[in-house]
Amino acid sequence: MYVVVSLAILVTMVLALVRALRGPSVYDRVLAVNMFGTKTALLLAVIAFLFERPDFLDLALAYALINLVGVLAVLEFIQSKPRKAEAADLD
Amino acid sequence: MIELVLDILSWVLLCTGGAFVLIGGIGALRLPGFYTRLHAASLTETMATILIFAGMILQAGLSLAAIKLFAIMVFLLLTAPTASYALANAALQSGLRPVAQREGEDA
Amino acid sequence: MSSSYSARPLQIAGLLLILLISWALWSGIYKPLLIGLGVFSCLLSIWVAMRTGFFLHAMPLRTFLRLPLMWWWLLGEVVKSSLEVARVILSPSLPIQPELVELTTTEETDSGKVILGNCITLSPGTVTIDVHENRLLVHCLTAQGAAGLRSRESERRVARLEIKR
């Protein structure tokens, strides 16, 4: 049963990767990567039950935390880029 | 008897959750434009998360794993809107206009 | 403001308790060194929370107690709108009617606005894309979702959380 669910999640991760590669804007890519990250947390939780190893739940939580911080950091980087360019122009 | 009912219920939840994950993935590919794809992503991030975690909580029964699953679910549900708000707002600030008419304007 | 300031030691104690309990649940290994590290990391988190002004936005306890009721209502909304969005995605003609709706909210506190925005974003089909002063800019996938927003049901639900009684 868990195999079906994890397969569905894996297929969705592939679809998200396709979207990340096709773009077109950088925000589409970040959206796809964010989706990929949350699906990874979901997949890890399902895998914990699939292989009956509860330790994987801790990994799922850690991945969810890292994913949030990572996406926010990437957004901050993208947003601050034009500002830095403006500052460079002023110099 | 009760175990059988719980099993069937959790399988149904898990399968519909998997179906919603797939639909969200298809939507992220099919929908045109960034802002509409946001909706497909939020479909997988809320509905599918709730369904899959609910199914697994039913399987775990009353145990530490169930509490951990619930905590992960609540964390994911609290942070998903924050991340998509940050993403949408960043796109809006950078001048990516939504392809939608403003309220009150004719198409 | 002064009332929430006087309640600060209690808030800090509450946060510390929550952190300690969750740490103890997650660790599962109870050796003196690890427990010491856990307590240290909890105190560090409290210090960081104080530095970032976490307690200025802290909600009163009664709001927390009313949250489960609201989650229950939100669950129904999420199910309804998910089915709607799934139908839209799967239909071959892709009948989307994207629309921007500007909501004016009467929420005064920051946390109220955040809860309202997050509730709107959580239900698929509607995403909050901008919050400024007391205006929320919401992107809707279908006209039906936009109509649901204009009925202001979610705002009433959030407002009910914060009633001072």
Side-chain angles (χ1 to χ4, degrees), chain C residues 88-103:
Chain C
V88 166
I89 289 176
L90 287 183
S91 50
S93 60
L94 217 58
I96 53 168
Q97 296 159 288
E99 203 174 325
L100 277 180
V101 176
E102 201 170 272
L103 279 183

Side-chain angles (χ1 to χ4, degrees), chain A residues 2 12 19 28 39 42 58, chain B residues 21 28-29 37 44 53 59:
Chain A
Y2 296 118
T12 303
R19 175 46 75 193
D28 284 294
K39 294 298 93 60
L42 215 57
D58 303 357
Chain B
V21 167
L29 269 192
R37 274 174 220 135
T44 68
F53 275 99
Q59 283 284 318

Side-chain angles (χ1 to χ4, degrees), chain C residues 5-157:
Chain C
Y5 234 73
S6 63
R8 265 180 82 181
L10 206 64
Q11 289 174 346
I12 293 174
L15 183 63
L16 186 65
L17 194 69
I18 293 173
L19 285 175
L20 283 177
I21 289 176
S22 48
W23 185 87
L25 279 179
W26 244 274
S27 158
I29 305 169
Y30 303 108
K31 287 179 189 163
L33 173 69
L34 285 178
I35 289 181
L37 285 176
V39 170
F40 172 72
S41 58
C42 288
L43 290 175
L44 191 70
S45 312
I46 299 263
W47 182 67
V48 170
M50 278 168 79
R51 268 179 63 95
T52 50
F54 174 79
F55 294 104
L56 294 178
H57 298 284
M59 288 182 292
L61 188 64
R62 56 172 176 274
T63 308
F64 273 109
L65 293 180
R66 283 182 196 148
L67 270 179
L69 200 69
M70 177 166 169
W71 284 351
W72 187 246
W73 166 79
L74 194 61
L75 186 66
E77 288 298 298
V78 167
V79 171
K80 261 192 284 175
S81 51
S82 309
L83 290 176
E84 173 71 17
V85 173
R87 192 185 60 79
V88 166
I89 289 176
L90 287 183
S91 50
S93 60
L94 217 58
I96 53 168
Q97 296 159 288
E99 203 174 325
L100 277 180
V101 176
E102 201 170 272
L103 279 183
T104 318
T105 164
T106 50
E107 288 295 329
E108 283 172 3
T109 58
D110 284 348
S111 55
K113 279 180 221 161
V114 168
I115 293 177
L116 178 60
N118 274 8
C119 284
I120 291 173
T121 308
L122 259 183
S123 44
T126 48
V127 174
T128 314
I129 60 176
D130 198 20
V131 181
H132 188 254
E133 304 282 312
N134 58 352
R135 287 166 182 279
L136 277 81
L137 198 59
V138 184
H139 189 266
C140 308
L141 187 63
T142 58
Q144 194 182 332
L149 269 182
R150 289 203 191 91
S151 71
R152 302 180 151 269
E153 174 72 14
S154 50
E155 196 185 340
R156 253 177 284 134
R157 292 280 174 165

Side-chain angles (χ1 to χ4, degrees), chain B residues 40-92:
Chain B
S42 92
L43 184 70
T44 68
E45 268 157 29
T46 55
M47 191 62 188
T49 307
I50 293 175
L51 284 173
I52 290 179
F53 275 99
M56 287 195 294
I57 287 174
L58 282 186
Q59 283 284 318
L62 278 178
S63 63
L64 187 60
I67 298 173
K68 283 185 181 178
L69 278 172
F70 187 75
I72 298 173
M73 181 176 89
V74 169
F75 179 79
L76 278 176
L77 289 181
L78 283 180
T79 56
T82 314
S84 61
Y85 170 76
L87 186 59
N89 203 30
L92 191 73

